[in-house]
Amino acid sequence: MQIGRFRIGMRTGKTALSVLICILLFHIADRGTPLIAALSAVFSLRQDLNTSVSFGRSRVLGNSIGGGFAMLYFYVQSVFHNSFYVELLLLPVMVALVIIISDGIGNNTGIVSAIATMLMISFSIPAGESSWYALNRVLDTFIGTIVAISLNGAITPKTDEKEREIKEDLIELKKKEADLAKMLYQVRRQIKDQSTDD
């Protein structure tokens, strides 16, 4: 649906619905705040099921890496009695390690989700909580990812809507090509003007 310059597409609706489902699941299960699950659902929901599954796989791997580092951070913080200096020095090192490990295993698309998971969990662990808290937050990321993938599999756009979206994408692409051609012409003209001035 298009309202002026604003388009309300299938993905927008599915994203909002996945957040609603996360909120409802957490309320029913009395699981606490659905923040991490809802964010995971938003990150994982893509334009179609295949892309969601591929991205979801990468996100689950990233969540596992980030969650593992968050649990390690939790343990180190508990040994040092929640020292600010541990937070200041250890978290940046862990961010670098998450990037290095993710890149090393070929999970580059999961780097941002791994870091986001690690930081969200690390900064949200209340003082005095056990390692189960961190483990439950990792589980929250899996819940959100599963909700998004399931929803994308259950609700698929009609063929005519897919065709319309492709046509809209092609129109946008042609506009960008025209803008690029115009910029290229202007650059060539500037170069030509500069060479005649010299």
Side-chain angles (χ1 to χ4, degrees), residues 12 14 65 68 93 96 120 132-133 140 144 150 152 154 158 194:
T12 303
K14 287 192 289 188
I65 293 168
V93 169
M120 279 191 297
W132 283 108
Y133 182 89
D140 291 351
S150 301
N152 230 353
K158 298 174 188 166
Q194 287 177 350

Side-chain angles (χ1 to χ4, degrees), residues 10 26-27 48 54 85 88 125-126 143 145 151 168 187 191 195:
M10 178 74 76
F26 275 62
H27 177 74
D48 58 35
S54 172
Y85 295 107
L88 181 67
I125 298 174
I143 292 169
T145 301
L151 197 59
E168 288 175 0
V187 168
I191 292 171
S195 64

Side-chain angles (χ1 to χ4, degrees), residues 159-172:
T159 306
D160 59 335
E161 185 171 331
K162 279 185 180 180
E163 289 175 10
R164 184 184 53 76
E165 286 179 3
I166 290 170
K167 286 178 184 175
E168 288 175 0
D169 289 345
L170 285 173
I171 290 169
E172 282 299 314

